[in-house]
Amino acid sequence: TDQDRKHGFGPATFSFNVKGGRCEECAGDGAIVTQLSFMPDVEVTCPACKGSRYREETLEVTWQGPNIAVVLKLSIEESVCFFKDQRPIVRKLEILHELGLGYLELGHAATILSGGEAQRVKLAPDLGKMRRDRHNLYILDEPTTGLHLADIQRLLDCLRRLVEAGHSVVVIEHHLDVI
């Protein structure tokens, strides 16, 4: 809105990846890295944003109490309660939780997901909008890596839902209980 633009808020305000939302001191990394020639790099929390990755003006905006940096620290499981009145958001979060990803923070970097986690994140949109009129083939390579036994059962339940909807699922797995 015009009011948002007056305060400097635009499409990039809530992204730590681009100017407008990120802390410019650390370029949205949340830390300052000093490279030392013959020693390991030294990383310290950014003194400007205190590790939040956002500029001060962005952090002043809150929703139901916390700002975006606090919300992104919530686990997916905690987020279901936080967004309880936002049904479209909750449904997406519940699917991630059903896939055994409830422990991940909302702001978890995609670049540090394990292979199994990344595969399950990619499955989530399909589980959310499963259509019986299309037939898809899903190939998963060890999607249970790093999962607790209870979460493995959740994942298997989700895969069973795909099969029951008429899709094909091929899983390459070494976990004997899954096989």
Side-chain angles (χ1 to χ4, degrees), residues 78-140:
E78 295 166 330
S79 300
V80 171
C81 292
F82 181 75
F83 289 109
K84 67 181 177 284
D85 297 331
Q86 305 298 315
R87 198 65 203 139
I89 296 172
V90 168
R91 185 62 198 130
K92 289 174 174 59
L93 293 169
E94 286 174 339
I95 291 168
L96 291 167
H97 190 275
E98 288 171 17
L99 286 167
L101 297 170
Y103 62 91
L104 290 177
E105 290 182 353
L106 284 181
H108 191 90
T111 56
I112 58 172
L113 289 171
S114 73
E117 289 169 337
Q119 290 178 81
R120 286 178 274 138
V121 167
K122 289 178 187 176
L123 266 181
D126 286 357
L127 285 167
K129 58 180 177 165
M130 225 180 318
R131 294 174 40 190
R132 292 186 179 273
D133 60 335
R134 290 183 62 190
H135 179 81
N136 293 323
L137 171 64
Y138 296 92
I139 302 173
L140 303 167

Side-chain angles (χ1 to χ4, degrees), residues 14-27:
F14 299 100
S15 173
F16 51 72
N17 293 317
V18 295
K19 288 185 179 184
R22 73 179 177 201
C23 168
E24 289 304 323
E25 183 87 16
C26 64

